[in-house]
């Protein structure tokens, strides 16, 4: 799909691949999402992570032992001449395990992406995560999340 469909569909495929890669722990699939030199900013967790290997490592470390579910919507894409900007709202739910079994954290925000068209398809060259409201859930798990302890 990434090389077929309209530009909008191709970009949405790239953005949706991120959610599936994280939710299903398929971190190698992030190579179909980010450029090799991408920069990603996850405020409060990992600001300005540089390069695909560092992004993969950070996401595996912070999401690997938990179950996540991403819901994405209201995409807005502006593309021209092999470059694009996209904003996609998200709701991500982290389901606790271990000491946090049965608890959940709800995060609301937007992915603000800059994308580049390369030979393999559209890839994110910069991602800024913008949280839109407080992280919600059980106080102990929210505090651990906020401290990057999950």
């Amino acid at each position: 799909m990434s090389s077929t469909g309209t530009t909008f569909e191709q970009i949405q495929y790239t953005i949706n691949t991120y959610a599936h890669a994280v939710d299903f722990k398929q971190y190698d699939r992030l190579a179909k999402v980010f450029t090799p030199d991408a920069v990603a900013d996850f405020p409060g967790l990992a600001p300005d992570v540089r390069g695909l290997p560092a992004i993969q490592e950070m996401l595996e470390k912070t999401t690997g032992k938990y179950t996540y579910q991403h819901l994405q919507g209201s995409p807005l894409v502006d593309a021209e001449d092999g470059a694009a900007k996209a904003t996609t709202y998200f709701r991500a739910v982290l389901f606790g395990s271990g000491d946090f079994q049965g608890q959940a954290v709800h995060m609301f925000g937007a992915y603000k992406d800059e994308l580049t068209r390369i030979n393999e398809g559209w890839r994110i060259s910069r991602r800024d995560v913008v949280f839109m409201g407080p992280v919600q859930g059980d106080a102990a798990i929210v505090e651990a999340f906020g401290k990057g302890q999950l």
Side-chain angles (χ1 to χ4, degrees):
M1 167 61 175
S2 63
S3 62
T4 62
T6 67
T7 296
F8 178 83
E9 291 168 331
Q10 292 173 31
I11 289 171
Q12 281 307 123
Y13 182 83
T14 297
I15 292 169
N16 290 340
T17 298
Y18 169 84
H20 287 261
V22 171
D23 292 353
F24 292 103
K25 314 289 184 244
Q26 298 171 340
Y27 303 103
D28 58 322
R29 290 190 75 193
L30 293 171
K32 295 183 181 236
V33 176
F34 293 100
T35 61
D37 61 348
V39 176
D41 183 26
F42 297 86
L45 292 177
D48 287 328
V49 180
R50 296 182 178 276
L52 175 61
I55 293 169
Q56 288 171 309
E57 181 181 334
M58 183 278 299
L59 286 169
E60 187 168 1
K61 180 180 176 186
T62 59
T63 69
K65 56 186 172 179
Y66 298 96
T67 301
Y68 274 81
Q69 182 186 44
H70 283 79
L71 301 173
Q72 299 179 149
S74 302
L76 181 63
V77 175
D78 292 308
E80 189 175 327
D81 297 329
K85 290 187 177 191
T87 300
T88 307
Y89 290 121
F90 72 84
R91 177 179 180 183
V93 181
L94 176 155
F95 299 97
S97 62
D99 292 343
F100 300 110
Q101 188 68 37
Q103 299 172 24
V105 169
H106 300 263
M107 296 165 275
F108 305 88
Y111 295 126
K112 299 191 71 72
D113 297 321
E114 295 176 15
L115 297 99
T116 303
R117 176 116 177 108
I118 60 174
N119 288 339
E120 295 81 12
W122 287 96
R123 299 293 185 269
I124 296 170
S125 56
R126 174 147 191 112
R127 166 162 279 185
D128 290 300
V129 179
V130 178
F131 289 107
M132 302 171 79
V135 175
Q136 299 178 339
D138 179 88
I141 196 170
V142 169
E143 182 178 342
F145 178 82
K147 292 180 179 177
Q149 296 174 341
L150 297 181

